[in-house]
Amino acid sequence: FVLRILALLAIAASATCLLINFELYPEVWWSFFVVMGAGCVWLTVAIGVKHRRDPMQSIGWQVVVIPILSILWDHLTGWNRWSLDFVLPCVCVVGMLMVLALALCMRMPVHAFAGVFVGVCLVGLVPLLLLVLGQVDFRIPSLISSGVAIILLAGLLLLQWRTVRSEISRRLHL
């Protein structure tokens, strides 16, 4: 129901902006950004609603989807690399810390969040790869993301190696 209401609001806002744009400013199609923005909001909320019973999965998907959407937006607005410089590392750091905080608050056993945690930490290392490849202009966010990912992965592997190994075996059918 929430998704349908949100879809209706997104369609109404998009249609209104398209009509206003068509009537008042037909030479500049700014309403395209409104439609795309509404679509991005709808998609991220849909992911949250779909995984509402498993917040770890929701965080994991958001850490993947939000940077992809921001890279698309960056490409459509002239490719200034703000998505690689800021959005990707910031989303990764927030995702890693949210998974850890949620696991601690909910007192979850390691096997219940290890898969998502490792996945989010691996995505958190992507800014380091981009930094090495010279695709990043502002280095600090990428360094912070990579540092947090390395520290959290090392902590998980050093303190919970048996659990992580069994979880990897279970998930990869080894």
Side-chain angles (χ1 to χ4, degrees):
F1 180 73
V2 171
L3 286 178
R4 284 185 249 153
I5 293 294
L6 186 62
L8 178 62
L9 291 173
I11 290 169
S14 298
T16 303
C17 288
L18 282 168
L19 294 172
I20 290 171
N21 191 180
F22 182 72
E23 179 59 30
L24 299 178
Y25 307 103
E27 60 278 349
V28 179
W29 284 94
W30 55 265
S31 59
F32 172 72
F33 293 107
V34 174
V35 172
M36 290 290 294
C40 290
V41 169
W42 186 86
L43 180 62
T44 56
V45 170
I47 290 169
V49 170
K50 182 177 186 231
H51 296 288
R52 68 185 173 276
R53 295 192 190 342
D54 189 359
M56 294 295 182
Q57 284 291 331
S58 180
I59 294 169
W61 278 106
Q62 298 287 354
V63 166
V64 172
V65 170
I66 291 172
I68 290 171
L69 291 174
S70 71
I71 289 169
L72 176 65
W73 273 95
D74 196 2
H75 178 70
L76 291 173
T77 58
W79 191 244
N80 294 310
R81 294 188 186 180
W82 53 263
S83 58
L84 301 180
D85 288 341
F86 301 108
V87 177
L88 175 63
C90 292
V91 167
C92 290
V93 168
V94 169
M96 289 182 280
L97 296 177
M98 288 301 298
V99 168
L100 185 61
L102 193 59
L104 292 173
C105 288
M106 295 176 65
R107 296 184 179 164
M108 296 176 77
V110 175
H111 69 84
F113 70 92
V116 172
F117 190 67
V118 169
V120 170
C121 286
L122 290 177
V123 173
L125 291 173
V126 170
L128 180 62
L129 177 65
L130 294 171
L131 188 64
V132 169
L133 295 174
Q135 297 299 311
V136 174
D137 296 325
F138 293 92
R139 301 168 58 95
I140 302 246
S142 296
L143 292 171
I144 291 171
S145 174
S146 304
V148 170
I150 290 168
I151 291 167
L152 292 178
L153 271 175
L156 182 67
L157 294 176
L158 290 173
L159 301 174
Q160 295 290 331
W161 170 245
R162 287 186 182 143
T163 306
V164 172
R165 186 180 64 201
S166 68
E167 193 63 21
I168 290 170
S169 296
R170 184 181 71 83
R171 288 183 185 263
L172 299 179
H173 305 291
L174 299 175

